[in-house]
Structures are given as C-alpha cells and as structure tokens.
C-alpha cells in the first residue's frame, strides 16, 4: 500500500498533463508508506514511450531526501496514450526493489488513472493507492 496526499495526487496529474504528449517522470519521497514530497524530473529521453531520469537531478534529489531523513517511495512516470500498466521496458528497467513504480495514464484525457506496482525481478504486483486528505485543504 502507498498513501498519497490529495495535493500530491493532483500534482502528479498536473505534471503528466503539462508534459503531454511526452512522458514525464519524477520521484515521490516519504516515510513508511506515506508520500510527503514530489520531485519533478527531466525525462532525458523526451519520448512518448519511455523515460530516463536526468542523472544529476536524480543524484541531487537523493541527496536532499537523505538530508531530510526521508526515503524514495516511488518512481513515477506518465503514459500519455497507453493504460496505467507497466510496459515490457518498464518491467525490465525496474531495478530498485522496495521502490514502487507509479504510472499516470492519460489515455482517457478527462479521467487520468494512477496505478502503483511493485516490480521485483520481472514479477509485477499491483499495489493499493490510498489518497490521504491533505490537512490544509
Ligand atoms: Zn511506462
């Protein structure tokens, strides 16, 4: 299970829409299973079918999270025109056990779909997403 505050959930959709028709990607940080931070990353592939996080950006986010004492809970990316299911490449490239793979699908532009998966050695397990009400909203 991964818990995502409402505001970050909205931000994920906003990021995916702002990058359309290309894939966007980023990192969700937090503690235990609760997300508390979102980092938009540059997709150096600039593609509508795959993504690669900019390595220096990724490095500085990892450093910042460590300084804050929070961990990477998920790596997210968008699927501008396909369902919120991991592609064969997503499965092959999911190299970090313990980190969720979150996909934002804009296939139905009016109804974005967000799904989370655990991918370990090629085995894909869907993970429940719980949207947490943001305190200030
Ligand atoms: Zn993908």
């Amino acid at each position: 299970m991964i818990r995502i505050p409402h505001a970050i959930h909205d931000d994920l959709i906003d990021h995916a829409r702002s990058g359309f028709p290309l894939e966007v990607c980023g990192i969700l940080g937090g503690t235990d299973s609760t997300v508390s931070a979102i980092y938009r990353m540059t997709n150096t592939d600039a593609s509508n079918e795959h993504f690669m996080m900019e390595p220096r950006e990724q490095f500085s986010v990892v450093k910042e999270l460590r300084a804050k004492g929070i961990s990477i809970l998920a790596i997210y990316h968008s699927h501008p025109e396909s369902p919120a299911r991991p592609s064969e490449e997503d499965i092959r490239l999911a190299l970090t056990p313990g980190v969720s793979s979150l996909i934002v699908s804009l296939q139905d532009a009016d109804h974005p779909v967000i799904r989370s998966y655990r991918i370990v050695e090629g085995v894909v397990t869907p993970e429940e997403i719980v949207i947490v009400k943001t305190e200030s909203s």
Side-chain angles (χ1 to χ4, degrees):
M1 196 220 350
I2 185 164
R3 295 160 59 84
I4 303 178
H6 201 264
I8 290 179
H9 180 268
D10 287 353
D11 207 22
L12 282 166
I13 293 167
D14 184 61
H15 187 200
R17 282 184 167 147
S18 73
F20 188 89
L22 300 180
E23 279 196 23
V24 301
C25 57
I27 290 174
L28 298 180
T31 323
D32 299 324
S33 307
T34 305
V35 173
S36 58
I38 176 171
Y39 296 90
R40 296 183 178 203
M41 310 292 283
T42 304
N43 178 4
T44 57
D45 281 352
S47 157
N48 64 347
E49 292 184 316
H50 42 93
F51 74 99
M52 179 64 65
M53 291 193 288
E54 209 283 312
R56 276 164 307 173
E57 273 179 25
Q58 191 178 355
F59 179 74
S60 71
V61 167
V62 168
K63 239 172 71 178
E64 189 177 328
L65 289 172
R66 199 172 291 152
K68 287 181 172 168
I70 60 181
S71 12
I72 296 183
L73 294 186
I75 291 171
Y76 72 87
H77 69 284
S78 62
H79 279 179
E81 283 156 278
S82 56
R85 276 198 304 272
S87 65
E88 277 175 34
E89 193 184 10
D90 292 337
I91 295 169
R92 203 163 29 115
L93 297 179
L95 298 175
T96 325
V99 173
S100 302
S101 297
L102 207 119
I103 300 173
V104 184
S105 169
L106 300 178
Q107 191 180 31
D108 179 349
D110 294 329
H111 303 94
V113 175
I114 301 183
R115 298 235 190 283
S116 184
Y117 302 90
R118 290 288 180 141
I119 303 173
V120 181
E121 288 173 10
V123 179
V124 180
T125 310
E127 176 181 47
E128 189 190 356
I129 298 178
V130 175
I131 308 298
V132 187
K133 244 193 142 187
T134 315
E135 278 163 42
S136 57
S137 65

